[in-house]
Structure formats: structure tokens, C-alpha cells
Amino acid sequence: MTFVIRPARPVDAPGILAADLDAGRTAPADAARFAASIGAAVADPARLVVVAEAQNDANAGGGVGVVGWAKTHHWDYDDGPALAGHYLGGVTVRPDFRRLGVAAELTGARMAWIWERADRAWFVVNAQNAASLALHRKWGFLEVARGPGFHTVTFDGGEGVLLQAARPLS
């Protein structure tokens, strides 16, 4: 199976919502709020939302074959050790499409976009999320700090990790 990674368009909002619901990351009661948030992120030129579309798979369903999505955030102020800059947001992949490299492709697209705009990329993650920490090592992310929250992100279990990566020289 092949995937196409591309910037999200407004028409992708139903597929993004379906992927989030399927992955259990958004509760049905929060669907309208989530959809509005995604629409705002897609329209914001300071952010990137990317989707993964399954090719040759009629089962992807839920809105134009979206099987995964991810976004960036831009903070224009410091929050303690979490400096202003471009941050990777969460990655969501539908359960039936996990372990196929979709999250890595979505992350690669976001990192390329950030490198066109900044010398550093930032990332926050729950300290217990070993899979995400391992995924992001590929891009040279190094731990900067640990704490209960950075910017507006707080963490289940109470501890998160702030990481930073420097743009490669070539």
C-alpha cells in the first residue's frame, strides 16, 4: 500500500475528524469543537496541517481516504524553557494503518516545512510515550527540559518532555 502525504485542504476536515475519532483521540461529544479547530489550523499560514491518504484502498473511508494527519504550532512567546518557535503537534494514524511508516512520513513533511522557516524545531511529548520519543530521534531531537506542561500542553501522568532539533547544515 502506498500513501500520499500532502498539505491538508478544508475539504479534508471530515477525514481528519474521522481519523481522530477512529483513533480514540477525540470524543464524539467534542467533534464540533475539534472540526472548528482543524479548520482554523488549515487556514493559518503560520501552521502546517498534513494528511496521509491511502492509495488503492477503498477501506480508508471517512473523508477522501485520510488515514493519518499531523500539524505544527507556532508560539510567538517563550514559556520558560519552551521558547517561541515552530512546534510539532500530535500525529494521529488510524489503528489499521499503524506500523506502516505513516507517522514518520507525516513527521518528515512537517520537519521539511519547519526547516524552510526556522533553524530550530520544537516538540513536546508525554514522558511515557516511548514510541513518539523513538520516532523523533531520527530528526535529532534532544531533551531540553521536563515538566508538567509547556505552553498550553499538559500531560497525563504529570510529566512531559520538551525537545529541540537543529536544522541540518546541508
Side-chain angles (χ1 to χ4, degrees):
M1 178 177 311
T2 60
F3 301 96
V4 172
I5 307 298
R6 61 168 178 76
R9 300 181 299 257
V11 70
D12 294 315
I16 292 170
L17 173 60
D20 235 55
L21 289 167
D22 192 32
R25 294 194 60 171
T26 296
D30 294 329
R33 180 205 52 80
F34 178 83
S37 172
I38 287 302
V42 169
D44 185 347
R47 299 178 69 183
L48 175 68
V49 179
V50 290
V51 295
E53 285 184 322
Q55 301 297 298
N56 305 321
D57 187 346
N59 255 345
V64 200
V66 173
V67 299
W69 72 280
K71 63 185 174 182
T72 66
H73 295 275
H74 183 266
W75 295 104
D76 58 4
Y77 62 89
D78 296 347
D79 179 22
L83 301 183
H86 289 281
Y87 283 71
L88 297 177
V91 172
T92 301
V93 178
R94 288 175 178 246
D96 290 348
F97 294 89
R98 292 182 182 158
R99 309 283 185 257
L100 299 174
V102 175
E105 288 187 44
L106 290 164
T107 300
R110 292 178 300 152
M111 292 301 291
W113 185 87
I114 289 173
W115 294 149
E116 291 173 359
R117 290 155 179 79
D119 293 332
R120 293 184 285 190
W122 297 87
F123 169 61
V124 296
V125 65
N126 189 303
Q128 299 171 15
N129 192 338
S132 186
L133 288 164
L135 169 70
H136 290 85
R137 282 191 200 111
K138 176 179 179 177
W139 288 275
F141 278 94
L142 300 174
E143 185 174 327
V144 173
R146 289 179 178 243
F150 301 102
H151 290 288
T152 62
V153 180
T154 58
F155 304 96
D156 291 339
E159 185 175 52
V161 184
L162 170 68
L163 301 106
Q164 175 192 337
R167 179 173 43 190
L169 296 176
S170 58

